[in-house]
Amino acid sequence: HTSTHHLKGHRLTHNSTSILLFQPLIPSPPTPTSSSTNPTTTTSSAPNTTPQPLTPNAYILQLSILITDGAKPALMERGVKELIALKELLKGVVEVDVVERGALDTRVR
């Protein structure tokens, strides 16, 4: 089974933090139309090309920092401090939670 999705949103930067605010979109289902030769038969027309939100009015906010050398504790500590400072700055606007460190790792496991 293959599925298609799109992301609509914004990419911002605050100091060294990458901020992604996006909404997952999926293709619209085909619209049934009646056949001109037999009005009781329905066929699928071409799918609507406008993707629809997966969940209306729901967005995903992702804050991340790219650490070039995770073996250096000073760099890791600095990255964590920047994320905590941004979390405090956004307090009262959005709730920011820390996820497992490997969740954003793009390498194949």
Side-chain angles (χ1 to χ4, degrees):
H1 176 70
T2 303
S3 65
T4 303
H5 69 278
H6 304 272
L7 300 177
K8 173 185 167 187
H10 303 279
R11 181 186 308 253
L12 308 163
T13 303
H14 177 76
N15 296 329
S16 297
T17 306
S18 175
I19 303 168
L20 302 174
L21 178 64
F22 60 91
Q23 183 176 37
L25 304 173
I26 56 173
S28 298
T31 308
T33 58
S34 61
S35 172
S36 58
T37 57
N38 186 354
T40 59
T41 305
T42 58
T43 58
S44 279
S45 66
N48 185 351
T49 58
T50 306
Q52 300 298 314
L54 182 62
T55 306
N57 300 320
Y59 289 83
I60 296 173
L61 177 68
Q62 177 182 320
L63 310 174
S64 60
I65 291 182
L66 177 63
I67 304 293
T68 55
D69 188 356
K72 293 184 180 176
L75 286 176
M76 291 293 288
E77 186 177 328
R78 188 171 125 203
V80 169
K81 283 182 181 179
E82 282 192 36
L83 286 173
I84 290 172
L86 187 55
K87 178 180 177 176
E88 288 300 313
L89 183 66
L90 294 173
K91 191 181 253 183
V93 179
V94 294
E95 185 178 323
V96 178
D97 291 325
V98 178
V99 297
E100 183 221 336
R101 200 176 114 212
L104 301 176
D105 192 350
T106 57
R107 295 176 292 185
V108 176
R109 296 180 216 194

